[in-house]
Amino acid sequence: MFGKNKTTGDKDETLPFSVIPTIPPQIKENELSDPESLRSDRANSTIIATDVEFEGNINASGQVYVYGKVKGNMTSAEGPVKVIPNGLVTGNILCRELIIDGMIEGHCQANTIHICEHGRLDGTMTYDQFSVKKGDIFTGQANQSRQREAMINVIDINHETFMVPSIESKPLIR
């Protein structure tokens, strides 16, 4: 009844297509021997689908993909947060890497922030590295988090050992 080929007389009816198991190209051969690695990748990904409207905070350990709408704060300790075109986040985001190709309204804090050509950020951001593609919109305030660390590494000039010969200066305006 189900899954069996029916025969009529002496002829076998075969399926009009061939069933050959294939390995998707994104899966490496050594991963096939370790099903735990496949499960852990899936378990560490959070996806907000296109038609989903989520209200609340998200605390993830892996990747977060936002295709739909999120109203709340998002934190991802290890993986990147990607706001896909037509995705909307109203809230604050804290992560290692943030890729904005949708819209965010709030404060973003990440080591690396990329605003893509369809991206829009209305709010503030704190970053170590920042990149922008042509066509994006950013409205708000940007703060580089390593700016203070760079100031600490400035070496003072010892004025006693660094002597400049004095030149009599003349006024430039007469």
Side-chain angles (χ1 to χ4, degrees):
M1 181 172 158
F2 297 104
K4 292 184 178 179
N5 290 341
K6 294 182 181 179
T7 57
T8 54
D10 294 334
K11 295 182 180 180
D12 285 338
E13 290 183 17
T14 59
L15 296 173
F17 55 89
S18 62
V19 180
I20 301 172
T22 59
I23 299 170
Q26 68 269 18
I27 299 176
K28 299 174 187 166
E29 288 181 27
N30 60 356
E31 290 178 342
L32 290 176
S33 62
D34 185 19
E36 282 299 315
S37 67
L38 288 175
R39 262 187 241 128
S40 67
D41 286 346
R42 289 183 192 146
N44 287 336
S45 294
T46 303
I47 300 173
I48 307 298
T50 303
D51 296 332
V52 173
E53 293 184 19
F54 180 84
E55 189 168 334
N57 296 330
I58 297 174
N59 293 318
S61 60
Q63 305 176 63
V64 179
Y65 298 95
V66 179
Y67 292 87
K69 296 177 183 175
V70 175
K71 186 174 184 179
N73 300 327
M74 296 173 55
T75 303
S76 177
E78 297 296 321
V81 173
K82 297 179 182 180
V83 182
I84 309 301
N86 299 321
L88 170 66
V89 176
T90 305
N92 302 328
I93 299 176
L94 175 64
C95 61
R96 282 188 23 208
E97 180 180 12
L98 176 61
I99 300 168
I100 306 169
D101 209 10
M103 184 171 176
I104 298 176
E105 297 172 346
H107 176 74
C108 300
Q109 184 174 347
N111 293 344
T112 305
I113 297 178
H114 304 284
I115 302 180
C116 300
E117 58 192 22
H118 300 106
R120 179 177 178 143
L121 173 58
D122 291 334
T124 60
M125 68 174 154
T126 304
Y127 62 91
D128 293 337
Q129 297 177 353
F130 175 59
S131 70
V132 180
K133 287 191 177 178
K134 182 179 179 181
D136 78 317
I137 298 172
F138 171 66
T139 306
Q141 182 179 357
N143 300 311
Q144 187 173 17
S145 61
R146 292 191 184 223
Q147 191 173 30
R148 184 174 179 174
E149 184 179 310
M151 291 176 66
I152 293 171
N153 292 331
V154 173
I155 301 170
D156 288 334
I157 297 174
N158 187 345
H159 295 287
E160 294 175 5
T161 59
F162 186 70
M163 301 293 286
V164 176
S166 63
I167 300 174
E168 187 175 316
S169 61
K170 296 182 182 179
L172 296 175
I173 301 174
R174 293 183 193 195

